[in-house]
Amino acid sequence: MASLQESFIKIIDVHKEFYSQGQTDKVLEDINIDIKKGEVISILGKSGCGKSTLLNLIGGFEKPTSGSVFFDGKEVERPSRRAIMLFQDYGLLPWRTVRKNVELGLEPDNTLTPEERKDRTLEYIKLVGLEDSINRFPVQLSGGMKQRVAIARALAIQPELILMDEPFAALDTFNRYFLQDELLRLQKKEQKNIILVTHDIDEAVYLSDRVIIMDSQPGKIKKILKINLAKPRDRSHSDFQYYRKVIFDSYEFPTNTQAPDYNI
Ligand SMILES: Nc1ncnc2c1ncn2[C@@H]1O[C@H](COP(=O)(O)OP(=O)(O)OP(=O)(O)O)[C@@H](O)[C@H]1O
Ligand SMILES: [Mg+2]
């Protein structure tokens, strides 16, 4: 097992339960993961298996019921600016424009002058292609545009760890591919760590160094798959298809050997 120094993120024996309406729900069980500096990790699994909960634990938004999460050698106890979370529901403030929403993440950073903050905001709004909508409010944007604002806000902070909960789900194919490539470019340039929850097998294979496949009820790690392909990857290559198939097969979809009984 890697030591705390070797692993940038280390999750040790994490269990998570939620209590609601007098009932205890076991959501995550026996989670152990070691992540090295600069790795891109995807988390795949059925709806409700605990992917967002796991991301929240890594980001310090939730606490494990037992076990520990370490980030750069320190136990995670609260959210940090070094680790930014892109929430599944975008987390935009409805009363702020695109510009002000992106700038929001930079406001607590007093190492930036107002001019630098303005420039950085604009740089990341351009990156996600929203310069024409800079003065619009969230209600005036499509789902994909809101998602791009949230991506710009997270990247503008230039964190070491980016936690993304289905970040590209609402985007069309063109924008999704473009932003996946931008993300990989930034990641390579600045050796960022990315942990990404996705439902898209193709996205997981395209972006990740390793893919975590989860089982549900309670959420457990079923398999961790290393993707041994050089980046940038070719989605049409047979090796890429091979990894897609390995992941797809690990879901064990039931085969329809029997005709359904319609009871007519
Ligand atoms: N704050 C909470 N209180 C009670 N139960 C919760 C809470 N947050 C999540 N859960 C439960 O934990 C389980 C896992 O939820 P989670 O949101 O982590 O799933 P997920 O894998 O991200 O699903 P999806 O793919 O649909 O986003 C679900 O059964 C959910 O109802
Ligand atoms: Mg989720």
Side-chain angles (χ1 to χ4, degrees):
M1 195 184 266
S3 71
L4 279 182
Q5 284 74 31
E6 283 172 52
S7 46
F8 193 53
I9 298 142
K10 193 171 175 72
I11 302 174
I12 306 172
D13 295 335
V14 161
H15 292 246
K16 179 68 181 171
E17 293 171 355
F18 285 113
Y19 306 93
S20 55
Q21 295 164 337
Q23 200 181 306
T24 304
D25 282 331
K26 198 181 255 192
V27 173
L28 292 173
E29 191 174 81
D30 268 335
I31 307 289
N32 285 283
I33 312 171
D34 259 322
I35 300 174
K36 290 195 285 291
K37 178 96 183 133
E39 265 194 296
V40 180
I41 304 281
S42 288
I43 305 173
L44 279 172
K46 291 180 187 156
S47 181
C49 75
K51 302 177 298 296
S52 298
T53 305
L54 180 55
L55 221 54
N56 281 326
L57 289 167
I58 299 170
F61 296 95
E62 294 275 2
K63 282 198 163 68
T65 307
S66 64
S68 312
V69 178
F70 291 90
F71 172 56
D72 202 12
K74 284 207 192 75
E75 188 155 9
V76 174
E77 281 167 347
R78 63 188 70 82
S80 141
R81 285 182 62 76
R82 294 175 65 195
I84 289 299
M85 171 77 116
L86 238 119
F87 288 100
Q88 207 168 359
D89 63 0
Y90 319 128
L92 302 184
L93 299 179
W95 59 88
R96 284 188 163 225
T97 61
V98 168
R99 180 201 296 276
K100 288 288 177 191
N101 261 292
V102 174
E103 217 175 82
L104 180 73
L106 301 176
E107 281 168 7
D109 186 348
N110 47 28
T111 64
L112 294 176
T113 64
E115 198 57 33
E116 284 168 336
R117 195 185 298 154
K118 222 174 132 191
D119 289 350
R120 176 109 58 100
T121 299
L122 196 59
E123 178 189 341
Y124 283 85
I125 288 174
K126 279 189 184 154
L127 174 77
V128 297
L130 284 178
E131 57 272 40
D132 292 341
S133 303
I134 198 157
N135 292 320
R136 289 191 179 200
F137 291 91
V139 72
Q140 299 170 296
L141 306 175
S142 70
M145 290 162 95
K146 282 185 216 166
Q147 203 158 25
R148 282 187 275 157
V149 179
I151 291 168
R153 184 171 64 189
L155 296 181
I157 297 167
Q158 301 181 339
E160 292 159 72
L161 168 63
I162 308 172
L163 302 164
M164 303 177 122
D165 205 343
E166 300 182 38
F168 307 125
L171 303 181
D172 61 53
T173 310
F174 178 78
N175 271 309
R176 189 162 62 241
Y177 284 5
F178 174 75
L179 283 174
Q180 285 172 352
D181 284 336
E182 280 304 314
L183 192 67
L184 284 180
R185 191 181 61 76
L186 286 167
Q187 187 274 335
K188 192 170 169 209
K189 196 170 109 204
E190 296 169 28
Q191 277 298 291
K192 288 183 194 306
N193 277 74
I194 298 171
I195 305 177
L196 162 113
V197 168
T198 178
H199 282 289
D200 183 345
I201 296 177
D202 187 88
E203 180 166 284
V205 178
Y206 190 72
L207 295 176
S208 321
D209 299 308
R210 287 189 292 159
V211 178
I212 297 175
I213 301 164
M214 290 184 64
D215 246 348
S216 44
Q217 291 183 324
K220 289 193 270 309
I221 294 178
K222 181 172 188 164
K223 188 187 271 182
I224 301 185
L225 181 69
K226 192 164 181 1
I227 312 288
N228 281 315
L229 297 175
K231 292 179 193 172
R233 294 174 178 162
D234 177 357
R235 293 173 211 264
S236 60
H237 197 280
S238 58
D239 290 344
F240 194 95
Q241 305 300 330
Y242 162 79
Y243 282 110
R244 290 191 68 201
K245 180 159 168 38
V246 171
I247 295 172
F248 190 78
D249 288 348
S250 70
Y251 277 109
E252 292 166 10
F253 288 110
T255 46
N256 277 333
T257 48
Q258 271 190 316
D261 179 6
Y262 289 115
N263 234 351
I264 303 171

